[in-house]
Amino acid sequence: MVLLEAQEVTKSFGGVKALNGVDVTLQEGTITALIGPNGSGKTTFFNILTGVLPMDAGRVIFLGQDIGKWPAHRRAALGIARTFQNLQIFQEMTVLENVMIGGFRHTHSGFFGGGFGLPRARREMEQLRDRALELLERMGLAPYQGALAGNLPFGLQRKVEIARALSSRPRLLLLDEPAAGLTTKETLSIARFIQGLKEEGITVFLVEHDMDLVMGISEWVIVLNFGKKIYEGTPLAVKRERSVIKAYLGERGAQG
Ligand code: ADP
Ligand code: MG
């Protein structure tokens, strides 16, 4: 089943065509990777899917609904969550609080809306806390739940951000370079974790430069270059494709 379909997505910044007529289809329950050299439009594409940036032209259909003009919070409520290339966690809040924040779309009382003293609000807070603690446990973060997020090593901060995205119980999770700055061991742990998400039925769309990670866990790989989709296929097909090798290594790399 198709979960998300983006058609002819186009976006310019001044004279730069960051995206030029990009079509992407995500099948539910799969891991799809979006790769391409720096500046090829990957993060811009995520920003458009999540409603952080408006597109100039194109359509985004999620679960059959045209969400292309929806604000970010409505898309989040529909089940689209993401992490950022540049970590965005609350440094001065605890790990547990950071993760709980991601789940507030499900509460009636809301985080800033007051009403915390009411029984329903209290029950909702407890449920949020349980879900957050369960995620922390699964990600090996439980021992750090009370620590200030800003005091954790970088690799663990990345995991906190992923846990926060998951606490909203998304159907689609967009990960923008989740392994950037991680050690080989941490990258392997993230890879296993992402595969576990897929087994739970969560659809994953992944931007990543670590080719071992991309090729190891993705079923489908989409390649951008200068804002255009130049190729898509299985990891094996992408590895063999001349135009992809050329985009990464230049003309010389494609001759071998
Ligand atoms: P990638 O994530 O593939 O490295 P980006 O989507 O970040 O690429 O950037 C694509 C192009 O759009 C680049 O040329 C970048 O400089 C430009 N760009 C991205 N965001 C902005 C912005 N907010 N304002 C101006 N230019 C931008
Ligand atoms: Mg980027």
Side-chain angles (χ1 to χ4, degrees):
M1 193 196 100
V2 173
L3 181 66
L4 180 138
E5 192 165 3
Q7 299 164 348
E8 294 281 314
V9 172
T10 298
K11 176 77 181 175
S12 296
F13 296 106
V16 178
K17 263 226 155 124
L19 292 170
N20 192 353
V22 176
D23 294 322
V24 161
T25 301
L26 300 179
Q27 299 291 336
E28 176 141 54
T30 59
I31 301 174
T32 302
L34 181 64
I35 67 170
N38 277 326
S40 57
K42 305 180 298 295
T43 296
T44 302
F45 195 64
F46 272 19
N47 285 336
I48 283 171
L49 294 184
T50 52
V52 169
L53 279 177
M55 55 193 167
D56 298 339
R59 301 213 310 157
V60 178
I61 316 287
F62 184 74
L63 289 168
Q65 295 190 78
D66 187 343
I67 62 164
K69 292 195 167 65
W70 289 24
H73 67 90
R74 273 188 78 196
R75 300 189 204 203
L78 197 61
I80 302 177
R82 59 111 37 111
T83 62
F84 292 85
Q85 181 173 355
N86 307 307
L87 264 182
Q88 293 196 8
I89 62 171
F90 298 100
Q91 306 264 322
E92 304 298 326
M93 287 170 62
T94 68
V95 167
L96 178 61
E97 287 163 347
N98 264 281
V99 177
M100 283 176 70
I101 281 249
F104 276 104
R105 76 174 173 91
H106 284 295
T107 67
H108 291 95
S109 28
F111 188 53
F112 301 107
F116 281 115
L118 302 173
R120 185 172 77 176
R122 218 174 310 140
R123 238 184 356 260
E124 284 179 341
M125 283 296 279
E126 277 161 19
Q127 282 165 5
L128 265 184
R129 204 185 143 82
D130 288 348
R131 166 74 176 162
L133 286 171
E134 176 201 316
L135 281 166
L136 291 177
E137 189 70 49
R138 264 178 54 196
M139 300 188 80
L141 290 169
Y144 311 100
Q145 58 178 278
L148 290 186
N151 289 344
L152 293 189
F154 183 73
L156 294 182
Q157 292 191 22
R158 278 227 175 267
K159 281 190 165 178
V160 171
E161 204 192 23
I162 295 174
R164 184 178 57 207
L166 288 171
S167 72
S168 67
R169 300 183 185 274
R171 282 182 79 154
L172 172 62
L173 177 64
L174 309 181
L175 298 169
D176 198 348
E177 302 199 19
L182 299 192
T183 64
T184 309
K185 201 172 149 213
E186 286 169 332
T187 302
L188 273 174
S189 149
I190 289 270
R192 272 196 299 271
F193 185 77
I194 296 172
Q195 279 186 310
L197 296 178
K198 184 194 133 150
E199 277 146 34
E200 267 179 60
I202 297 174
T203 306
V204 177
F205 195 23
L206 168 78
V207 165
E208 185 48 60
H209 285 295
D210 184 319
M211 282 306 129
D212 290 337
L213 175 61
V214 166
M215 300 305 175
I217 66 174
S218 314
E219 290 142 284
W220 198 250
V221 182
I222 297 167
V223 189
L224 288 184
N225 194 26
F226 293 113
K228 282 197 161 171
K229 184 171 77 179
I230 57 167
Y231 193 77
E232 66 182 310
T234 61
L236 200 63
V238 164
K239 262 198 256 188
R240 292 179 176 158
E241 171 61 26
R242 263 184 77 90
S243 61
V244 176
I245 300 167
K246 222 160 91 177
Y248 274 96
L249 303 174
E251 199 57 60
R252 251 183 46 229
Q255 280 169 7

